Amino acid sequence: MENIITIDGPSGVGKGTVSLKIAKYLGWHILDSGALYRILALVAKRNQVSIDDETKLVALATELDVKFISLADLSKLQIIYAGHDIATEIRDETYGKIASQIAVNPEVRTALLARQRAFYTLPGLVADGRDMGTVVFPKAKYKFFLTASCEERALRRYKQLINIGIYVKLSELAVEIANRDQRDTTRTTAPLIAASDAFTIDTTKLSIEEVVECIVSKMVF
Ligand code: C5P
């Protein structure tokens, strides 16, 4: 077993925030795997590569020249692509949608696999996404799957976007993330599903702190 904690779940459930807090608590590294799919979406859009062009997408995924820089206290993550920090830009739902369309492609997923696994270095890694516990890190020490009602997830994502200056309509966002979840859950390769050995937490009525406490309470080191 490796010193890895996987936190999977649908859009807007709070995986990112919870993962940051757990990583901070343990002093471990962090992998936001969704960011990789979003970056690929942005790069594909900028290069006018169609979501159906597997050859070009795989080439882009393999060569993706991107640097993740996190402050020592993990309070901020910079994602440097072509000399610019795109961490905020990729949060736009435009890229969430393209990311999930691209993510159905098994070849694209394979092209991103080694890059994701390379995030694991000592003392350990907290990895969040959709297939962290099932495909990318099947030997993780602890696996969690977070859920929450659709309404609550839409609201959480809405507040998160407003916080970083991205203005959206709550009703439109709710439809967009429902569509994305549907696509992520029903795809053939690495669908959004809890690993058989994952601990599932319904976070609908829990605060971030309560979710973190619940996760920490399950861990024995
Ligand atoms: O987590 P985030 O919303 O940033 O992810 C964007 C999209 O990337 C997801 O909707 C999903 O389609 C894809 N993704 C994935 N596997 C992961 C992480 C994200 O397919 N491990």
Side-chain angles (χ1 to χ4, degrees), residues 111-184:
L112 289 176
L113 206 52
R115 189 183 285 267
Q116 293 174 83
R117 290 187 175 146
F119 275 77
Y120 173 57
T121 49
L122 290 174
L125 180 72
V126 181
D128 91 70
R130 306 292 187 291
D131 60 343
M132 296 294 99
T134 49
V135 177
V136 182
F137 300 113
K139 290 186 184 152
K141 202 167 205 160
Y142 293 107
K143 298 182 184 179
F144 296 92
F145 191 82
L146 307 187
T147 63
S149 70
C150 299
E151 296 75 21
E152 180 62 23
R153 291 189 289 108
L155 196 62
R156 286 181 191 171
R157 178 53 54 89
Y158 176 76
K159 287 180 184 164
Q160 186 190 21
L161 291 177
I162 297 290
N163 249 332
I164 57 171
I166 297 179
Y167 293 91
V168 284
K169 261 194 168 167
L170 178 59
S171 54
E172 285 172 10
L173 183 65
V175 172
E176 281 166 358
I177 70 173
N179 288 342
R180 195 142 65 81
D181 288 340
Q182 167 73 6
R183 200 178 297 119
D184 290 348

Side-chain angles (χ1 to χ4, degrees), residues 8 11 15 32-35 37-38 91 96 99-101 103 109 116 128-132 157 180 184 187:
D8 288 305
S11 315
K15 304 179 297 285
D32 171 1
S33 63
Y37 287 92
R38 285 172 180 267
R91 290 299 141 200
S100 83
Q101 290 169 328
R109 303 195 71 85
Q116 293 174 83
D128 91 70
R130 306 292 187 291
D131 60 343
M132 296 294 99
R157 178 53 54 89
R180 195 142 65 81
D184 290 348
R187 70 184 172 218

